[in-house]
Amino acid sequence: SGTVFYKPDVLRHCCPHYTIRLPVASFVPSRDQRQVINRWNRYVIGEEYAKEAAKLYPKSKAEKARERNTFDLPGAVHESEYVNIQQPPEPAHRFEVTLEPDTYSKEKYELFHNYQQHVHHEKPSEISQSGFKRFLCDSPLQRRTAEVNGKTQKLGSYHQCYRLDGQLIAMGVLDVLPHCVSGVYFLYHSDFEKWSLGKLSALREATLALEGEYQYYYMGFYIHSCAKMRYKGDYRPQYVLDPESLEWNPLEGELRSLLDKKRYVSLARERRLRESSGADAAASTGDESETDTYSDYPYPTAKEGSDAVTNGLSLFDLKVPGVMTEEEIKQYPLDEQLISGRGQVFKAGDLIAWEGGDIRDSSFKGITAEFVAFLGPDVAKQVVIGFG
C-alpha cells in the first residue's frame, strides 16, 4: 500500500485475508464473465456501427463458427479498443486503455475522489490528494523492462487507465512483477457503475498477465467471510496461500468446505491435527479442529496481540502465521542483509551498533530481524532496508 509493506495476521483477524492467485494459462472465463465483456463491447461499438460493419466487413463461415464454439479472451478484451476497430464507420464511443506510470495527476485524483465518495461513501473531508498519492502513487517498485522468452516485459508499478471519449472513467493500480500481474486497487467513475467494470478489469488484468507471459494474476486478498469479496473465487482455477506452510492449495473441495465452517483455515495445520490425534483423514469435516486451542499462538485475539506489541512485545513472541520464527531467523544470514543510509548501501553487520543489538529489542538488529521475518528469506535477499 504505497510505500508500506504489510502482512495480515490471518489467525487473529476478524475477517482473515487470504492471498490468492490465478494461473492465467488455465483460466477459462465463466458465462457471466463472458457476458460482461460482450455487453461492454456492444455499448462501446454501438448498434449502428455493428450493422454497417457487418455489411462492410463480412465474416467468413469459418470465423462465425469459431466465434460460436470458442471464446478468445484476449480477442474479446481488445475488441472494442479504438485502435482495433475497423473504420469506417465510427463506433459509438472511442475507448482506449493505456498502461501508464503510477504518477499523480489531477485527472486521476478526480476519479479517485468520485470513487471514494460515491462508491465507498467517504466524506469529502476524508479524501485528500496526499492520501491518494500515499495510497496509490509513487510505489517503491522501480519501473524497468526485461527480456523473457523473446518478449519484452514491463516491470514495476503502473496505472492502467480506461478512457471513454477522452474521459478517464476507470483505473487499475497494478504491480507488475517477474512472475505475475498483481491487482492492487481498482476505481471507476460512479456514472459507469452498471457496467460491472470491476469484473471487466479482472478479465483485462488476467489478459495482461497471459499476453505478457507473467504466469499468474494476483487478485489481492480473498476474504471468504465477506460476500463482496467472494467473487474472486469465481475466476478459476484459483489457488489460496496456506498461512502456515506457504503452500498453494486449490480453492475447492476440502479448503472451500473448511472456509465455510471456520474463520481461520490452514490445510497444513489440519493435517498436523489429524496426524497428532490419529483421526482418519477421510473423516475431516472441520469439526475436530474446532477444539484447536492454538496454544502455539499465545495471544489468540487481535486486541491482545496489538496491545502486547504496543507494550514492546517482540514479533517472535507474538507469532504470526507465515512469519519466520526466531529459530528460522537465526539460520538466516542477517548480518549480510543490505541496508541503506546517508546515500550508501552496506551490509547490516558493518554497523558499529550491530553486535550490541538483539533480535528481540528495538535496535537496528531487532528492526532488521522483524522486517526480514515478515518479508521472508526469498524477498528479503532482494531488497535494501532504508533507515533514512
Side-chain angles (χ1 to χ4, degrees):
S1 175
T3 58
V4 176
F5 288 97
Y6 68 96
K7 184 180 183 72
D9 185 344
V10 185
L11 173 66
R12 300 177 182 91
H13 205 287
C14 60
C15 46
H17 297 43
Y18 295 94
T19 300
I20 60 170
R21 73 179 185 187
L22 175 73
V24 289
S26 305
F27 173 50
V28 179
S30 66
R31 182 171 178 270
D32 175 64
Q33 291 158 2
R34 296 195 301 269
Q35 288 176 337
V36 168
I37 298 179
N38 293 334
R39 193 161 65 99
W40 175 253
N41 288 345
R42 287 195 298 269
Y43 167 69
V44 172
I45 292 171
E47 290 184 14
E48 290 301 318
Y49 175 88
K51 290 177 183 177
E52 289 299 315
K55 298 175 185 176
L56 293 172
Y57 315 108
K59 295 178 181 178
S60 66
K61 289 184 179 179
E63 288 175 319
K64 292 179 180 178
R66 186 169 59 251
E67 288 181 358
R68 285 195 304 269
N69 300 321
T70 61
F71 182 77
D72 174 19
L73 176 61
V77 161
H78 298 304
E79 180 183 327
S80 60
E81 292 174 15
Y82 192 75
V83 69
N84 295 323
I85 292 178
Q86 291 178 296
Q87 296 175 51
E90 281 284 317
H93 302 281
R94 184 183 182 114
F95 179 52
E96 298 165 298
V97 180
T98 54
L99 197 62
E100 305 176 6
D102 66 332
T103 51
Y104 171 87
S105 74
K106 182 181 179 182
E107 177 188 41
K108 293 175 183 177
Y109 173 66
E110 288 175 349
L111 176 67
F112 173 76
H113 194 285
N114 171 274
Y115 180 75
Q116 298 300 118
Q117 183 176 353
H118 295 286
V119 179
H120 282 289
H121 308 293
E122 290 186 4
K123 298 176 183 177
S125 59
E126 297 173 330
I127 308 168
S128 67
Q129 293 184 35
S130 60
F132 171 61
K133 291 177 182 177
R134 184 174 62 251
F135 180 32
L136 298 175
C137 301
D138 302 324
S139 153
L141 298 181
Q142 296 181 353
R143 286 183 296 276
R144 62 185 179 88
T145 58
E147 294 295 325
V148 178
N149 299 326
K151 281 193 172 184
T152 300
Q153 286 187 338
K154 288 185 176 181
L155 301 173
S157 296
Y158 294 88
H159 290 159
Q160 190 170 50
C161 297
Y162 300 59
R163 291 184 174 86
L164 190 73
D165 301 327
Q167 176 191 355
L168 182 65
I169 64 166
M171 185 175 80
V173 182
L174 306 176
D175 287 339
V176 185
L177 307 173
H179 72 297
C180 75
V181 171
S182 175
V184 178
Y185 202 64
F186 182 75
L187 49 151
Y188 57 84
H189 196 282
S190 57
D191 288 351
F192 295 87
E193 192 162 6
K194 70 176 183 178
W195 296 106
S196 303
L197 294 182
K199 292 181 179 179
L200 188 70
S201 72
L203 295 165
R204 182 170 286 277
E205 289 163 15
T207 300
L208 177 63
L210 181 66
E211 292 179 324
E213 297 185 5
Y214 292 100
Q215 193 174 3
Y216 297 105
Y217 171 40
Y218 283 67
M219 295 181 70
F221 292 116
Y222 177 72
I223 307 177
H224 192 76
S225 59
C226 177
K228 289 185 177 180
M229 299 294 281
R230 280 203 193 191
Y231 79 92
K232 296 180 181 182
D234 297 334
Y235 294 79
R236 300 179 177 180
Q238 200 72 259
Y239 287 77
V240 173
L241 186 69
D242 190 292
E244 297 191 17
S245 67
L246 304 185
E247 300 170 300
W248 291 97
N249 297 304
L251 182 55
E252 56 188 43
E254 181 187 12
L255 178 57
R256 192 177 283 273
S257 176
L258 286 169
L259 286 168
D260 285 337
K261 300 167 184 172
K262 303 177 63 177
R263 185 178 55 79
Y264 170 71
V265 175
S266 161
L267 288 186
R269 188 178 192 86
E270 298 292 327
R271 289 194 296 269
R272 290 199 307 273
L273 288 169
R274 289 199 296 267
E275 291 168 1
S276 62
S277 65
D280 187 288
S284 174
T285 63
D287 296 336
E288 77 277 3
S289 52
E290 290 298 342
T291 59
D292 188 355
T293 62
Y294 301 105
S295 58
D296 46 337
Y297 294 102
Y299 297 87
T301 71
K303 186 177 188 309
E304 289 174 340
S306 61
D307 287 348
V309 170
T310 301
N311 293 329
L313 183 79
S314 166
L315 182 66
F316 302 109
D317 289 321
L318 175 64
K319 298 182 180 179
V320 176
V323 172
M324 295 172 70
T325 64
E326 180 179 4
E327 291 70 28
E328 290 170 329
I329 280 291
K330 288 179 178 177
Q331 299 299 315
Y332 179 86
L334 201 61
D335 57 350
E336 295 181 13
Q337 179 64 44
L338 294 180
I339 288 178
S340 68
R342 295 184 180 179
Q344 296 182 329
V345 176
F346 47 88
K347 293 181 178 179
D350 294 337
L351 287 166
I352 296 176
W354 184 256
E355 290 303 323
D358 186 88
I359 65 170
R360 288 175 171 272
D361 59 29
S362 57
S363 62
F364 276 117
K365 181 178 284 188
I367 294 170
T368 303
E370 290 194 350
F371 192 73
V372 169
F374 90 81
L375 278 185
D378 294 337
V379 176
K381 289 174 182 176
Q382 301 179 60
V383 303
V384 178
I385 303 175
F387 280 97

